[in-house]
Every structure is written in C-alpha cells, then in structure tokens.
Amino acid sequence: MCMILGLTGGIATGKSTVTGMLRERGIPVIDADQIAREVVEPGKPAYEAIVRHFGRDILLEDGEINRKKLGEIVFSDEAERQKLNAIVHPEVRRVMREEAEAAEANGADIVFMDIPLLFESKLQYMVEKIVLVYAPADMQLARMMERDELEEEQAHKRLKAQFPIDQKKKDADFLIDNSTTREETERQVEKLLAELRAELKS
C-alpha cells in the first residue's frame, strides 16, 4: 500500500525547501515542473505536437523549443495557451503516474507529487491527500521581491496569477507553515511523516 500525496504551495512559500527535506529522508518526490520540461524535448510526442501546431518558427537553431518565443505567443493569446496546455498536461500526468508506480514497485510507502499549480489545474484527483507549504501573502511578496529582484507591482502580478494562499489553506489536508525558522519547518515535516506512517499502519 502506497500513499500518494500532493505537495503544493504558492510563489516563494518555500516549497523547494520542503522537497529537499523530504528527499533527505529518502521520500520520493515527483517534480511536475521537471517533467514538464522533459516531455517537450526533441523526439518526445509532446514536442512533435507543439511543432505541428505552432510551426518551426518557435525552434532554436539546435531544434530545441525557444521557451521565450513560445511564452510570448501563449501568454498573449488565451486560446493558444489552452492549446499548449492540452498538449503538455496529459503527457506530464502520464509520466507522473508512471514514476509513482515505479516508486511503489521499489518499495516506497509514501510518494509526494510536487505540483505547484495543483489547485489551479484541478489536479486534486491525482493524489489522496494535499500538503500545502504555507507562508502569509505579505511574506510571499517580500521574499519574491528580494529573491527575484522584482518591483512590488511585478511581484503582485505574479501573486495574482495564482489562487490566494489562504484559499489553498482551506482546501489542503495538511499544512507546513514555512514562515519562521528552518528548524521549525523541519520539525513539521517530521511530524507529518510520522502521522502519515501511523495512518498507513492503521
């Protein structure tokens, strides 16, 4: 029996800190963003479909997709953005399921799927429980401005593109509050894993 959990957060809530802690403890974490990059590599089915739809103009000289160029197209045209998502998302979900099955076959009892836009993309059905890495919105804003050297207005825009963190908080099964110290976050990760293991035994 293997439990599949969704791990999500918001921009600059510190989700990568938590994934690092889970991996240090030998817990498999399947990274949706990483897989999304892999499925559009040359030769992959999603790559072929993207080139068929968007044309060869979006390719770099070496045949890789020019992300900047593709980004400009899809962020200025909602229909094109949806078309891209319709190509990429099913592939990402398929690979994530395969990786989860492989982890279970290797004896993992707990597997995390790291899905940044879990709620926004309505992917709750892919996981049994949802763990939210939380930091209050004002802290997200301050961290983003510092980390990405953004003006406040730019940071606000990015924050607005995601569901509000407090809305996600209501819909999550577990919360890891990453607004204080690293040690405190680590303590919460330990507590969460203990709870999950106890649940698996019961």
Side-chain angles (χ1 to χ4, degrees):
M1 171 67 186
C2 176
M3 192 186 281
I4 310 267
L5 295 115
L7 182 71
T8 194
I11 299 179
T13 56
K15 189 166 56 58
S16 51
T17 302
V18 173
T19 50
M21 290 173 182
L22 291 167
R23 286 192 172 121
E24 279 164 19
R25 288 161 175 75
I27 307 288
V29 181
I30 297 165
D31 183 338
D33 280 354
Q34 174 67 30
I35 292 170
R37 283 192 288 275
E38 288 167 7
V39 299
V40 297
E41 285 170 0
K44 300 279 176 76
Y47 172 90
E48 308 296 343
I50 290 168
V51 175
R52 264 199 309 277
H53 179 77
F54 291 95
R56 303 196 69 81
D57 289 351
I58 58 148
L59 298 181
L60 295 163
E61 279 177 17
D62 62 2
E64 296 260 341
I65 288 171
N66 182 336
R67 292 174 176 281
K68 191 162 182 280
K69 202 162 189 182
L70 184 58
E72 280 164 9
I73 296 169
V74 300
F75 286 116
S76 56
D77 184 333
E78 180 59 22
E80 292 294 290
R81 194 174 75 86
Q82 287 186 0
K83 177 65 192 172
L84 179 66
N85 287 346
I87 294 170
V88 176
H89 288 176
E91 274 299 290
V92 173
R93 292 195 284 270
R94 182 183 65 75
V95 175
M96 289 186 83
R97 275 193 291 270
E98 279 175 9
E99 289 197 8
E101 283 162 15
E104 185 174 0
N106 283 331
D109 57 349
I110 294 170
V111 174
F112 279 87
M113 288 188 172
D114 176 352
I115 310 176
L117 300 176
L118 190 148
F119 290 113
E120 290 86 345
S121 303
K122 301 186 174 62
L123 296 178
Q124 292 93 322
Y125 71 90
M126 286 189 71
V127 299
E128 292 165 52
K129 298 265 171 86
I130 295 168
V131 179
L132 177 72
V133 180
Y134 177 84
D138 56 350
M139 187 178 274
Q140 280 181 279
L141 208 59
R143 283 178 179 174
M144 218 187 319
M145 286 163 66
E146 186 183 343
R147 182 188 74 184
D148 303 330
E149 296 178 359
L150 297 175
E151 299 293 321
E152 188 166 350
E153 192 185 339
Q154 291 171 299
H156 261 298
K157 261 189 189 153
R158 292 196 184 182
L159 212 50
K160 270 210 162 81
Q162 298 188 347
F163 286 179
I165 195 73
D166 287 310
Q167 183 184 335
K168 293 180 179 183
K169 190 177 175 180
K170 288 193 196 91
D171 296 328
D173 299 290
F174 298 100
L175 196 71
I176 291 178
D177 185 335
N178 190 33
S179 61
T180 57
T181 63
R182 187 184 169 88
E183 290 71 29
E184 175 54 29
T185 300
E186 201 136 13
R187 193 190 62 74
Q188 292 176 63
V189 167
E190 289 282 4
K191 181 170 174 278
L192 170 69
L193 292 175
E195 278 178 37
L196 296 174
R197 293 220 159 93
E199 199 172 312
L200 279 167
K201 284 197 182 103
S202 64

